[in-house]
Every structure is written in C-alpha cells, then in structure tokens.
Amino acid sequence: HQGEADSVGLQYGMGPLQTHVEVTQGSWLNPNLKVISSEVGATYEAGDYSVGLSISSTSTPHRSVALPRVLSGTGSGAVDGLASFDSSSQLKAKGRLALGNKTGIDLGASVGRVYLLPGNVLGASVIDQKALSFGVDHGPLSGKMTGRTMQPEVGIPGSLYTDRRWNSIDLGV
C-alpha cells in the first residue's frame, strides 16, 4: 500500500470565464503522514486562446512526523523535491494557443515559496522557486519543457547558501 489521495473540487463557468477550487489530501502507510494541497483559480477562454491564473498552497499538518524520502505521486525527495518540506505557496499563470483543432502551444509560469522544517541540511528556512514551461501538442503526441530555479531566501543572515541557486530542466513527452 503506497498511499491514497482524496480530492474534492468545484468548477463553475459563466460564458468564457471558468473558475475552479480543489482540495487534495494524500496519506501514506502512517495515517499521520499527510500532505494537503489546495488551489483556487480562474481561466478565460476565447476561441483559439485561453489564459489562466491560480494560487495554490501545500502543507503538512503534522510537523512532528517526518515525511518519507519518497512519496508516491510526488517523485523522489518528498514534496517539491525537498525531504524537509513544511509548506509551500505558489502563484501560477498559464496560457494556451490552439493552432487548429488538433495542435496547440502551452505556456506557463509560476513563482512561489517553499518553507522547510528547522534543522534541515540546507540551513535555510525559506526557498524561493520560479518556473517557466513551454509545451506543444499535436493529436495524441505532446511534449513539455519546464525550467525551474530554486534559491534560499535572499538576505538570511548566517545562511550558508544565500548565494546558491539550483536550476533544473524537466523534459516530458
């Protein structure tokens, strides 16, 4: 048993404007190991293009219980790739341009903050995160590239990693 996730959401549309709210809770072998995520957003759809904006938050309500190194459905290294994860918040924007009825281009961007538990190996309590994504699809074939940068909050006195930055590029087909 790797774990389970419960999700509840609501979508409402009025003309070209669509809004959504979703809350998800994931738990693993120990019922105290929970990650709760929520998102609120809106998308404007106008024929061949759409633009959307959302705010999301993820937290671990039982901070005294350490998360496992790998959580199913989140990849390796816990949430946002950080084993000492406490909570995070993000502002996300997305857009889509349809090029015919089977082809499209997707663009996305996000900025956020990841809060870490005290005593983590990075010696930082807050990490700023920024990401850009570009995707193309044609029929059942799609590809996406995401560039991400993470950096400890600038201006933390005594932090060993204030001038460090971690960058990654994710490719998907």
Side-chain angles (χ1 to χ4, degrees):
H1 177 51
Q2 292 183 1
E4 55 187 59
D6 296 317
S7 181
V8 62
L10 174 67
Q11 291 185 341
Y12 180 75
M14 190 167 74
L17 185 63
Q18 305 288 319
T19 60
H20 71 275
V21 176
E22 184 174 8
V23 177
T24 303
Q25 174 181 294
S27 62
W28 289 266
L29 294 175
N30 180 342
N32 290 327
L33 297 176
K34 293 183 182 178
V35 176
I36 299 173
S37 301
S38 60
E39 183 170 339
V40 176
T43 301
Y44 179 79
E45 296 183 14
D48 290 344
Y49 72 90
S50 65
V51 292
L53 190 63
S54 64
I55 297 172
S56 67
S57 175
T58 302
S59 65
T60 54
H62 299 289
R63 291 180 174 97
S64 62
V65 179
L67 292 174
R69 294 288 299 163
V70 177
L71 299 178
S72 60
T74 63
S76 63
V79 182
D80 284 331
L82 301 166
S84 297
F85 178 83
D86 180 28
S87 63
S88 71
S89 56
Q90 290 188 31
L91 174 63
K92 301 183 235 179
K94 63 181 179 178
R96 176 165 175 78
L97 176 62
L99 304 171
N101 42 340
K102 291 187 177 183
T103 305
I105 297 173
D106 296 311
L107 298 172
S110 70
V111 294
R113 284 225 153 138
V114 177
Y115 299 90
L116 301 176
L117 295 171
N120 64 72
V121 295
L122 295 177
S125 58
V126 177
I127 294 183
D128 292 328
Q129 177 177 279
K130 298 174 183 94
L132 290 174
S133 65
F134 172 78
V136 177
D137 61 76
H138 180 72
L141 182 63
S142 66
K144 186 174 184 178
M145 180 171 59
T146 302
R148 185 179 329 274
T149 184
M150 298 176 83
Q151 177 180 13
E153 183 179 31
V154 178
I156 300 174
S159 175
L160 301 173
Y161 297 102
T162 54
D163 61 342
R164 300 294 296 260
R165 194 174 277 172
W166 298 277
N167 299 305
S168 68
I169 295 178
D170 303 327
L171 301 173
V173 178

